[in-house]
Amino acid sequence: MPLDETNNESYRYLRSVGNTWKFNVEDLHPKMLSRLYKRFDTFDLDSDEKMEMDEVLYWPDRMRQLVNATDEQVEKMREAVRVFFFNKGVDPVDGLTRENWVEANRVFAEAERERERRGEPSLIAMLSNAYYDVLDDDGDGTDDDDELKTKMKAFAV
């Protein structure tokens, strides 16, 4: 099923502010296409070619295993992941198919650019801040070597 404002939150947002942007796969470099599919496969834990909200909510739980995250911190991360991936196109009931992942990713990026132009909060920043708050063990606002290593493990980089 093609993505549009009836089945994708980022398209819905763009249309609500008068932005008529539409995805064209021809505008995407083949290397980027390959990278996006590789990232999808990282999130698709059961390899069924469908990313589900439960699969992406695994990542905050992984943080609990890697650092001494409190229940409150993990719940904050879970909520940030939920909002972020819902806007990325992961429907809480139907998930997001691999076939639609690249378009969903690109329309999300366009929605983020629109938010920036309009001075609205970034969903990328919201998600990043939720993770950084947990990873910044000493609370100094920077990543030291150990914190950076933990972050790399958490994101499977």
Side-chain angles (χ1 to χ4, degrees), residues 1-9 11-12 89 91:
M1 172 195 288
L3 297 180
D4 61 24
E5 64 275 5
T6 66
N7 60 10
N8 179 278
E9 195 62 26
Y11 270 126
R12 191 173 296 118
D91 184 85

Side-chain angles (χ1 to χ4, degrees), residues 34 105 123 147:
S34 175
N105 189 285
L123 298 180
E147 291 167 343

Side-chain angles (χ1 to χ4, degrees), residues 38-155:
K38 183 178 179 182
R39 181 54 54 197
F40 179 93
D41 294 340
T42 301
F43 288 116
D44 182 18
L45 299 177
D46 61 6
S47 301
D48 66 351
E49 299 210 352
K50 185 164 118 178
M51 188 185 303
E52 297 180 52
M53 196 61 79
D54 286 346
E55 290 173 316
V56 297
L57 289 172
Y58 160 81
W59 296 99
D61 292 329
R62 179 161 165 69
M63 291 299 297
R64 184 189 312 267
Q65 297 166 3
L66 294 172
V67 298
N68 292 327
T70 66
D71 288 344
E72 183 181 328
Q73 289 172 316
V74 170
E75 191 47 45
K76 183 178 176 187
M77 283 188 295
R78 288 176 68 82
E79 184 55 28
V81 166
R82 201 176 283 111
V83 169
F84 181 85
F85 278 93
F86 176 68
N87 281 275
K88 271 258 197 199
V90 180
D91 184 85
V93 175
D94 297 323
L96 176 66
T97 63
R98 191 172 197 270
E99 168 187 346
N100 286 332
W101 165 249
V102 172
E103 180 174 2
N105 189 285
R106 301 320 302 157
V107 69
F108 175 83
E110 182 61 28
E112 279 290 278
R113 283 188 288 278
E114 185 65 37
R115 283 184 195 76
E116 183 179 3
R117 281 190 290 270
R118 301 172 69 77
E120 297 172 3
S122 162
L123 298 180
I124 293 172
M126 177 225 25
L127 180 65
S128 298
N129 288 337
Y131 273 90
Y132 292 143
D133 289 348
V134 172
L135 293 170
D136 185 17
D137 286 338
D138 55 16
D140 70 353
T142 64
D143 288 336
D144 61 31
D145 287 343
D146 289 336
E147 291 167 343
L148 184 58
K149 287 176 189 173
T150 300
K151 189 181 301 175
M152 300 298 264
K153 267 190 212 172
F155 295 114

